[in-house]
């Protein structure tokens, strides 16, 4: 039989092991293994990015760009001979990386934090994204979880500790870069706050460590009924603080809290609160004088500094007189119902609410003696008159007695 023999086309082997060398939100780099064929050096490859592009290349890599974030793309690759025979397609589907979440915010307590963020709404598939939430602290405590919502709560955290929180968008095999945010949990408050008076114008504060967690120091707030709040800060080693230049007898509101400062973040604990009253001031320049007539004493003293509600005058532990009003600079009162020409000890105590001055100021006074002296002289005169009258009476009754005188 005469004629031309026609050869049967030989199809090349397909490529294998399509891999991604890298990818981003808008680009994927592919690589594949070429067939183990004799003429492989003459092959080229048809690369089809389904519904996007078709190219031919003699290389065993391809970069697809201008893609959409968070979108699934399928690439199919064929080996092609110089005779234009092709292999079966080898395909691979992958997602581009989604964009990261935005507007990451948080609110913290002592052992919890609530974290929220917004989805990257410019991505085509953002409504089906899930999210990888992870957190770690400087003491190597860490955790992570995948969630479907755009908010989450973190529990069992350490008070007064800094955590780095990161959220990534997830879809398929792809994830975004992390959107990070530092959070600092609130410290616990100090314990066992005690306030004691050291003098009329000083008070001492003492407290114990917070129950657990970290803290950088303490803040002390105090104010009276007439002034604004004063603030003092002390470092974490201090457990005692003296308040000075206080007003005697005044009511103070005292507050103490822990604070923690780290990574330019400052967080405060809840406050320990105490109401405290300073001791009222003692009276000064106490003087007394007798009032003519013998039954009263006049007492005056300098107006005590600060706040007071009344001044008690104790008369020889027998009777207490209360003084509630004074002049601008001086106080005075009269003690009546006393006995003439008698010494009395007068003890004066300043009172403010339930507080009393540290000690009473005492003075000894004598009531007027004039009436007693006059009375004594008058009594002696009467006695003399009586004796004279008695002698005259006897002589008149017994005139013979004069013979014997």
């Amino acid at each position: 039989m005469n004629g031309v023999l026609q050869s049967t086309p030989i199809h090349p082997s397909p490529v294998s092991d399509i891999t991604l060398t890298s990818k981003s939100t808008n680009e994927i780099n592919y690589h594949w293994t070429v067939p183990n064929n004799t003429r492989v050096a003459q092959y080229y490859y048809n690369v089809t990015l389904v519904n996007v592009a078709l190219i031919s290349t003699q290389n065993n890599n391809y970069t697809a760009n201008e893609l959409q974030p968070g979108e699934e793309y399928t690439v199919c690759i064929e080996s092609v001979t110089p005779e234009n025979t092709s292999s079966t397609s080898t395909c691979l589907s992958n997602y581009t990386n989604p964009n990261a979440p935005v507007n990451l915010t948080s609110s913290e307590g002592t052992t919890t934090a609530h974290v929220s963020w917004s989805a990257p709404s410019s991505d085509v598939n953002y409504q089906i994204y899930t999210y990888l939430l992870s957190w770690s602290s400087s003491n190597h405590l860490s955790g992570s979880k995948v969630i479907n919502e755009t908010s989450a709560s973190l529990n069992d955290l350490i008070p007064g500790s800094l955590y780095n929180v990161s959220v990534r968008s997830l879809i398929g095999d792809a994830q975004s870069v992390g959107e990070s945010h530092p959070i600092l949990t609130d410290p616990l408050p100090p314990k066992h706050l005690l306030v004691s008076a050291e003098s009329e114008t000083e008070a001492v504060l003492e407290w114990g460590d917070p129950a657990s967690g970290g803290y950088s120091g303490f803040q002390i707030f105090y104010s009276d009924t007439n002034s604004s709040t004063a603030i003092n800060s002390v470092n974490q080693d201090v457990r005692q603080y003296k308040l000075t230049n206080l007003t005697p007898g005044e009511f103070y509101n005292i507050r103490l809290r822990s604070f923690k400062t780290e990574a330019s973040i400052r967080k405060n604990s809840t406050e320990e609160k105490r109401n405290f009253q300073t001791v009222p001031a003692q009276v000064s320049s106490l003087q007394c004088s007798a009032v003519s007539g013998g039954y009263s004493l006049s007492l005056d003293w300098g107006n005590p500094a600060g706040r007071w509600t009344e001044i008690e005058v104790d008369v020889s532990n027998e009777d207490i007189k209360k003084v509630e009003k004074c002049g601008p600079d001086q106080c005075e009162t009269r003690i009546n119902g006393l006995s003439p020409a008698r010494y009395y000890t007068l003890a004066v105590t300043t009172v403010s609410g339930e507080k009393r001055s540290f000690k009473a100021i005492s003075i000894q006074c004598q009531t007027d003696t004039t009436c007693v002296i006059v009375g004594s002289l008058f009594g002696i005169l009467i006695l003399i008159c009586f004796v004279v009258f008695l002698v005259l009476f006897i002589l008149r009754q017994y005139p013979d007695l004069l013979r014997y005188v």
Side-chain angles (χ1 to χ4, degrees):
M1 181 182 295
N2 295 324
V4 178
L5 294 176
Q6 295 183 351
S7 61
T8 302
I10 298 175
H11 293 278
S13 299
V15 302
S16 61
D17 301 327
I18 302 176
T19 58
L20 306 183
T21 57
S22 65
K23 67 177 179 178
S24 65
T25 56
N26 58 7
E27 186 176 277
I28 302 178
N29 294 307
Y30 297 99
H31 180 273
W32 58 88
T33 302
V34 300
N36 187 19
N37 293 164
T38 304
R39 296 193 302 158
V40 69
Q42 300 175 27
Y43 289 177
Y44 65 94
Y45 305 94
N46 287 334
V47 182
T48 302
L49 195 61
V50 177
N51 299 324
V52 177
L54 171 63
I55 63 103
S56 295
T57 180
Q58 290 184 314
N59 299 318
N60 65 336
N61 57 75
Y62 166 67
T63 298
N65 48 35
E66 297 183 2
L67 307 180
Q68 294 296 317
E71 183 73 72
E72 185 178 30
Y73 292 91
T74 300
V75 67
C76 293
I77 304 171
E78 298 174 336
S79 304
V80 183
T81 66
E83 293 78 26
N84 207 31
T85 59
S86 59
S87 69
T88 58
S89 295
T90 302
C91 298
L92 178 68
S93 295
N94 292 97
Y95 282 89
T96 51
N97 290 340
N99 279 313
V102 295
N103 304 324
L104 178 57
T105 59
S106 65
S107 59
E108 299 80 33
T110 54
T111 58
T112 61
H114 184 76
V115 185
S116 61
W117 59 89
S118 299
S121 57
S122 61
D123 291 12
V124 175
N125 293 317
Y126 78 92
Q127 292 181 331
I128 60 172
Y129 286 176
T130 56
Y131 300 93
L132 174 62
L133 174 65
S134 58
W135 60 97
S136 61
S137 68
S138 57
N139 56 8
H140 308 296
L141 294 176
S142 61
S144 64
K145 57 184 175 181
V146 176
I147 56 177
N148 297 320
E149 306 296 331
T150 55
S151 64
S153 293
L154 306 180
N155 300 308
D156 299 323
L157 305 180
I158 298 175
S161 294
L162 182 70
Y163 290 83
N164 183 60
V165 175
S166 175
V167 183
R168 298 173 183 265
S169 304
L170 302 178
I171 185 169
D173 64 323
Q175 61 177 282
S176 71
V177 297
E179 175 73 4
S180 297
H181 179 69
I183 65 171
L184 183 61
T185 52
D186 296 341
L188 290 174
K191 298 192 301 181
H192 311 310
L193 173 59
L194 298 175
V195 185
S196 58
E198 182 131 308
S199 71
E200 297 169 353
T201 59
E202 295 178 331
V204 175
L205 281 60
E206 297 178 277
W207 61 89
D209 295 348
S212 63
Y215 50 93
S216 302
F218 304 95
Q219 274 192 312
I220 301 151
F221 303 81
Y222 62 100
S223 59
D224 61 25
T225 55
N226 299 313
S227 65
S228 59
T229 300
I231 305 174
N232 293 283
S233 296
V234 295
N235 65 42
Q236 61 184 357
D237 299 324
V238 175
R239 295 295 178 275
Q240 187 181 87
Y241 188 81
K242 181 183 286 189
L243 301 179
T244 59
N245 298 320
L246 304 179
T247 301
E250 183 61 87
F251 292 90
Y252 285 87
N253 175 259
I254 296 175
R255 296 172 289 140
L256 177 68
R257 71 185 184 191
S258 310
F259 68 87
K260 174 70 174 182
T261 302
E262 193 167 350
S264 300
I265 305 173
R266 181 188 176 103
K267 299 302 288 292
N268 300 313
S269 74
T270 56
E271 295 176 344
E272 287 287 297
K273 300 179 180 179
R274 298 290 185 273
N275 292 321
F276 172 77
Q277 185 184 10
T278 51
V279 174
Q282 298 171 340
V283 301
S284 60
S285 305
L286 181 62
Q287 298 178 354
C288 72
S289 58
V291 178
S292 60
Y295 297 95
S296 301
L297 289 172
S298 177
L299 192 65
D300 63 86
W301 58 88
N303 203 342
R307 176 188 290 269
W308 56 273
T309 53
E310 63 184 24
I311 295 173
E312 293 182 352
V313 181
D314 187 346
V315 184
S316 295
N317 297 318
E318 295 179 0
D319 187 27
I320 295 178
K321 180 179 177 62
K322 295 182 178 182
V323 178
E324 297 181 352
K325 293 183 179 180
C326 287
D329 302 311
Q330 199 75 6
C331 296
E332 61 180 342
T333 189
R334 176 177 288 194
I335 312 299
N336 298 316
L338 305 179
S339 300
R342 177 181 168 183
Y343 283 95
Y344 288 90
T345 299
L346 306 178
V348 182
T349 304
T350 309
V351 179
S352 179
E354 297 181 356
K355 291 282 188 177
R356 304 171 67 86
S357 55
F358 280 117
K359 66 177 183 179
I361 302 299
S362 298
I363 190 170
Q364 193 173 57
C365 301
Q366 184 183 21
T367 49
D368 188 20
T369 59
T370 303
C371 62
V372 174
I373 295 173
V374 171
S376 298
L377 293 175
F378 183 72
I380 293 171
L381 181 60
I382 292 176
L383 180 61
I384 293 172
C385 291
F386 176 76
V387 170
V388 171
F389 175 79
L390 181 62
V391 169
L392 293 175
F393 176 78
I394 293 172
L395 291 177
R396 186 173 181 176
Q397 292 293 324
Y398 305 97
D400 295 336
L401 290 175
L402 293 174
R403 300 174 186 176
Y404 301 101
V405 176

